[in-house]
Amino acid sequence: CNEPRFHKLKGLFLRKNQLKTLPNTIGNLKELEWLKVCNNQLIILPKEIGKLRNLKMLDLRYNKLSSLPKEIGKLLLLEWLVINNNKLAILPEEIGKLVNLRTLNLPHNKLESLPKEIGKLPLLEWLDLEDNQLKTIPYTIADLPKLERLNLKNNKLESLELKNPNPTPSEV
């Protein structure tokens, strides 16, 4: 039998285990739409996560992730990304490719900055950045046309720059 195992699996719920990583074969679950791996011990997310092209929801809360693979940007159908209570210090610029993302929850991490590409999320409605180390936010956040809720509570913000500091002639 050449059919991959779990070839029809739509949801995988691995909450409250002791997983330190996911197998590279996670990318073989081509039909997966929901992946919940919250409350584990994940320290790394395999780049094969980018092969889950049907994924709509990714829940990585309460792990030990310090970064995300750039392949996260290949999850074009992703609508809900929750990564609170990790150790994220940086987001890849590829986060801006998640054109269907509606909710991005990143509270209780160690983010010091955000990529300007975060302003390229046309459907983003809810952005939660509470309790990070942000000193500034990119002016591109103001470009999010659907943004309804923005939580910046308990950061290290020194200023709010919501316009391009170096505008092109068409932006003036």
Side-chain angles (χ1 to χ4, degrees):
C1 178
N2 290 332
E3 281 190 48
R5 295 179 182 265
F6 300 119
H7 69 281
K8 292 192 182 274
L9 198 65
K10 298 255 187 216
L12 181 56
F13 305 95
L14 298 167
R15 187 172 182 236
K16 292 188 176 181
N17 282 289
Q18 298 298 313
L19 298 172
K20 289 188 169 79
T21 187
L22 294 174
N24 294 345
T25 53
I26 191 83
N28 295 340
L29 303 177
K30 305 289 187 198
E31 299 300 316
L32 206 61
E33 294 180 10
W34 310 284
L35 179 56
K36 287 190 88 155
V37 198
C38 49
N39 301 87
N40 275 279
Q41 303 293 317
L42 291 180
I43 54 173
I44 192 165
L45 205 56
K47 65 182 182 182
E48 288 78 9
I49 199 84
K51 293 181 180 179
L52 301 177
R53 303 291 168 92
N54 287 309
L55 206 61
K56 293 179 182 174
M57 186 270 292
L58 180 56
D59 186 348
L60 299 166
R61 290 178 284 178
Y62 297 96
N63 280 287
K64 297 179 179 183
L65 296 169
S66 59
S67 64
L68 297 174
K70 66 181 181 183
E71 289 79 7
I72 198 98
K74 294 180 179 178
L75 304 177
L76 300 182
L77 297 181
L78 198 63
E79 296 178 12
W80 200 75
L81 179 57
V82 178
I83 317 175
N84 55 292
N85 296 84
N86 275 273
K87 298 179 179 190
L88 285 182
I90 191 166
L91 283 180
E93 63 186 43
E94 288 79 7
I95 201 89
K97 295 179 179 177
L98 302 177
V99 295
N100 281 298
L101 200 62
R102 294 178 185 277
T103 298
L104 178 56
N105 284 353
L106 299 163
H108 311 289
N109 277 288
K110 299 181 181 299
L111 293 170
E112 294 182 13
S113 65
L114 298 171
K116 69 181 185 312
E117 290 79 7
I118 204 160
K120 295 181 178 178
L121 302 172
L123 300 180
L124 192 67
E125 297 170 352
W126 173 219
L127 177 56
D128 191 349
L129 297 163
E130 181 178 346
D131 196 23
N132 276 281
Q133 304 296 314
L134 296 170
K135 291 181 181 165
T136 184
I137 58 170
Y139 67 90
T140 55
I141 287 215
D143 296 334
L144 296 168
K146 301 272 188 181
L147 192 64
E148 295 175 1
R149 295 182 291 168
L150 173 61
N151 185 358
L152 295 167
K153 191 166 54 173
N154 200 24
N155 275 281
K156 298 184 182 229
L157 292 174
E158 297 168 357
S159 67
L160 280 179
E161 186 66 54
L162 298 179
K163 62 181 183 181
N164 189 343
N166 302 307
T168 63
S170 65
E171 294 175 318
V172 177

